[in-house]
Amino acid sequence: MQEKTTSAIEARQTGNRIVIGGIAAIVLILGTAAVLLFLNLPDANAFNARVEQLFVENASLTGQAEIKLLEILAQSGTAFSATLDSYRFVIFVLLVFATALLIAAVAFLVMLIAMNRRMGQIERKGIEVNSLLISRDQNMVYLNNFEFKLTDAAIETLSVLAEARMDDEVLSGAEIEGVISGRPSSDCEEAAGATRIKRLRDTLGNQMISELLVRNIARRGYMLAIDKDVIRMV
């Protein structure tokens, strides 16, 4: 048992390291892409520097038209610089958004894998029930923290299964029908008991609970997949 617990802890720690490594790799890749992208973007002041160079090289241009043209070029450079700064901000926001989405995707994937593993364990071991209280008078069933109001037929079916579980018995559909109806099981049909099981599951409502609580054992019959020591009937 201790070796299994240690192995489970080591597996969980390995999974956590893989998740952290995956998230770190995503951040690193996007960070590298962002740095390369920003380094290869043109300088926001390149246009202004070129316009300034034109002013210096053409100092002899003193005509009104030439001066007006240079002023227009200077204003264009300023507009280009502002536009490029806004593009830088948009790119930065998109990269941050992409990083958040990828991290969220990895987190949801890990959660989904963990949930599937947990569901697999539940399917193999059955539902973990700490207490099952059946109240025939009130037609109520208290399953852990869940409370179910059952029909008369459903409470009878569950009671029969609970009594059989306390005796470590597996009942076929015909035997369930025989116990409830008071007839010999040889005179009852298997389909009648199966119908009672189906109605019990439908009344419980929660598909996962009903399917895992009432276990169908191939070629043998039906039983409650819980510890018999937690069953109480009043």
Side-chain angles (χ1 to χ4, degrees):
M1 178 66 68
Q2 185 176 1
E3 293 180 356
K4 292 182 178 179
T5 303
T6 303
S7 300
I9 294 174
E10 291 178 351
R12 190 178 298 109
Q13 291 176 347
T14 302
N16 292 336
R17 286 194 294 267
I18 292 175
V19 173
I20 295 173
I23 293 176
I26 290 172
V27 174
L28 179 61
I29 292 172
L30 289 177
T32 303
V35 171
L36 293 175
L37 181 60
F38 283 117
L39 288 177
N40 286 279
L41 284 175
D43 186 5
N45 293 318
F47 197 90
N48 285 335
R50 184 57 179 167
V51 171
E52 183 180 355
Q53 184 180 357
L54 289 175
F55 271 99
V56 174
E57 294 177 351
N58 297 278
S60 59
L61 298 177
T62 57
Q64 190 68 26
E66 289 83 355
I67 294 175
K68 188 65 176 179
L69 177 60
L70 292 176
E71 290 177 352
I72 293 174
L73 290 175
Q75 293 174 359
S76 300
T78 303
F80 174 77
S81 177
T83 302
L84 193 56
D85 285 338
S86 65
Y87 285 170
R88 289 178 185 273
F89 180 75
V90 171
I91 292 172
F92 174 76
V93 171
L94 290 176
L95 286 173
V96 172
F97 186 66
T99 303
L101 283 179
L102 286 175
I103 292 176
V106 172
F108 282 125
L109 179 61
V110 172
M111 290 175 59
L112 183 60
I113 294 174
M115 186 177 296
N116 287 336
R117 289 179 178 176
R118 178 58 179 165
M119 288 300 300
Q121 293 175 356
I122 292 176
E123 290 177 356
R124 290 192 298 270
K125 298 180 181 179
I127 187 170
E128 184 177 352
V129 177
N130 298 321
S131 65
L132 175 64
L133 175 61
I134 302 174
S135 176
R136 289 183 173 179
D137 295 337
Q138 301 177 358
N139 286 351
M140 297 293 296
V141 174
Y142 301 91
L143 179 63
N144 289 348
N145 296 324
F146 298 97
E147 179 180 312
F148 299 94
K149 177 71 173 178
L150 303 185
T151 62
D152 292 338
I155 203 73
E156 285 294 332
T157 304
L158 184 59
S159 299
V160 169
L161 291 173
E163 291 174 354
R165 181 67 186 92
M166 288 188 288
D167 295 333
D168 293 324
E169 295 179 354
V170 179
L171 299 180
S172 65
E175 290 172 336
I176 294 174
E177 178 65 23
V179 173
I180 295 176
S181 64
R183 296 179 296 167
S185 59
S186 57
D187 295 338
C188 300
E189 296 182 358
E190 182 71 22
T195 300
R196 290 185 180 273
I197 294 295
K198 181 181 183 303
R199 289 174 179 172
L200 171 61
R201 286 172 171 169
D202 293 340
T203 306
L204 288 173
N206 189 307
Q207 183 177 1
M208 184 183 75
I209 291 178
S210 60
E211 291 291 336
L212 296 177
L213 177 64
V214 183
R215 181 69 60 83
N216 183 8
I217 301 178
R219 295 185 297 276
R220 293 187 61 189
Y222 303 92
M223 66 172 292
L224 296 182
I226 60 176
D227 189 351
K228 62 182 180 179
D229 295 331
V230 304
I231 301 175
R232 292 177 54 202
M233 302 179 64
V234 295

